[in-house]
């Protein structure tokens, strides 16, 4: 009886022995990552007196540099085949995933028209390239990093989860849906950029960044909803 109770606790609280994640566990992962993203905004405003509008480069750097180690550490505990891949190895490949993901995001953004030159004003000039680089690193934290920590270099898992859009289990749902949410949110966030409203937040990549963060949050809410829905459906089916 004690063993059954213990197994049930492992299954529904955080991570079970077979590597699956409960909806409650996913919620806590999202909560931790969200709190540290908030810490990044707090540090930018209260310690450096900047925000995405006044200094996008520094703010984005603070956001991704604070968020990255938290996401890498947490998702490395959720790695596949832990008997073959140590936690430290998963963290190490997360670093590679961050860099390669930033490179891919930067290429995609530039291909879609993201500026990389200089922005000239009457009294000053601003470089676009640092903004694009730091935005790409933040997007990598939202998209590539969790998948790299969990999947590693398994092309089969990457293709099934992202290309075929057939994630299996809660861990993959909590990786794939927020990643797509960040991409779609960033795309919608870019819509106001060409409009002649003359607002400072229309500059690259401010509105895109807000859209990506909002899209990631929506994706997290959607993934949690699906986890609870599938759990309820499974319980009804068993009953």
């Amino acid at each position: 009886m004690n063993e059954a109770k213990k197994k049930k606790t492992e299954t529904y609280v955080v991570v079970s022995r077979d590597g699956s994640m409960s909806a409650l566990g996913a919620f806590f992962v999202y909560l931790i990552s969200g709190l540290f993203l908030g810490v990044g905004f707090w540090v930018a405003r209260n310690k450096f007196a900047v925000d995405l509008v006044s200094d996008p480069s520094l703010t984005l750097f603070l956001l991704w540099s604070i968020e990255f180690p938290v996401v890498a550490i947490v998702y490395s505990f959720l790695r596949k085949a832990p008997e073959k891949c140590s936690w430290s190895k998963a963290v190490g490949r997360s670093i590679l995933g961050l860099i390669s993901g930033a490179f891919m995001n930067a290429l995609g953004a530039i291909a879609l028209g993201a500026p990389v030159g200089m922005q000239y004003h009457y009294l000053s000039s601003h470089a676009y390239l640092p903004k694009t680089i730091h935005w790409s690193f933040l997007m990598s934290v939202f998209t590539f990093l969790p998948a790299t920590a969990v999947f590693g270099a398994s092309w089969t898992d990457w293709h099934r989860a992202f290309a075929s859009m057939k994630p299996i289990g809660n861990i993959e749902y909590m990786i794939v849906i927020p990643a797509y949410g960040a991409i779609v949110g960033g795309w919608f966030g870019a819509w106001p950029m060409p409009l002649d409203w003359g607002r400072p937040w229309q500059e690259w990549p401010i509105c895109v960044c807000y859209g990506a963060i909002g899209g990631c949050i929506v994706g997290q809410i959607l993934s949690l909803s699906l986890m609870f829905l599938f759990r309820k459906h499974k319980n009804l089916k068993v009953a």
Side-chain angles (χ1 to χ4, degrees):
M1 190 178 205
N2 290 334
E3 287 184 7
K5 188 175 181 180
K6 183 179 179 181
K7 185 175 181 181
K8 184 177 180 180
T9 302
E10 288 176 344
T11 303
Y12 290 104
V13 175
V14 185
V15 183
S16 69
R17 292 176 180 175
D18 61 358
S20 62
M21 166 71 75
S22 70
L24 182 59
F27 170 77
F28 279 115
V29 170
Y30 290 156
L31 181 62
I32 292 170
S33 60
L35 286 175
F36 275 88
L37 187 64
V39 169
F41 279 107
W42 184 89
V43 170
R45 177 168 290 276
N46 292 278
K47 298 299 181 181
F48 293 88
V50 297
D51 55 27
L52 283 173
V53 176
S54 63
D55 193 337
S57 296
L58 177 57
T59 305
L60 287 169
F61 167 73
L62 292 171
L63 291 179
W64 75 256
S65 61
I66 292 174
E67 184 78 353
F68 156 65
V70 178
V71 174
I73 290 171
V74 172
Y75 278 88
S76 292
F77 282 111
L78 308 178
R79 65 196 182 278
K80 287 203 167 186
E83 68 280 357
K84 298 180 181 179
C85 175
S86 65
W87 175 82
S88 58
K89 182 179 179 180
V91 172
R93 69 191 187 190
S94 297
I95 300 174
L96 296 178
L98 174 73
I99 298 171
S100 59
F103 180 74
M104 295 297 293
N105 277 289
L107 284 182
I110 293 171
L112 291 174
V116 293
M118 299 290 294
Q119 177 189 20
Y120 293 97
H121 292 285
Y122 177 68
L123 296 176
S124 62
S125 62
H126 301 279
Y128 277 117
L129 185 59
K131 302 177 185 179
T132 302
I133 291 174
H134 292 303
W135 171 85
S136 300
F137 272 98
L138 182 63
M139 285 296 293
S140 181
V141 173
F142 291 154
T143 55
F144 275 75
L145 180 56
T148 306
V150 175
F151 297 148
S154 175
W155 170 250
T156 303
D157 291 323
W158 281 85
H159 185 273
R160 174 181 44 75
F162 286 97
S164 300
M165 297 186 69
K166 295 179 179 179
I168 299 174
N170 288 351
I171 292 179
E172 295 189 10
Y173 276 106
M174 64 185 292
I175 292 173
V176 173
I177 299 177
Y180 274 115
I183 295 171
V184 174
W187 183 70
F188 276 107
W191 282 21
M193 288 180 61
L195 302 178
D196 57 351
W197 295 344
R199 305 296 183 184
W201 52 264
Q202 289 180 264
E203 291 289 337
W204 166 262
I206 301 169
C207 53
V208 179
C209 183
Y210 281 126
I213 293 173
C216 185
I217 294 173
V218 171
Q220 291 174 346
I221 295 172
L222 179 59
S223 66
L224 287 173
S225 301
L226 290 175
M227 290 177 201
F228 282 112
L229 181 64
F230 291 153
R231 176 184 171 184
K232 183 177 180 181
H233 176 73
K234 184 178 179 181
N235 290 341
L236 289 175
K237 189 174 180 181
V238 171

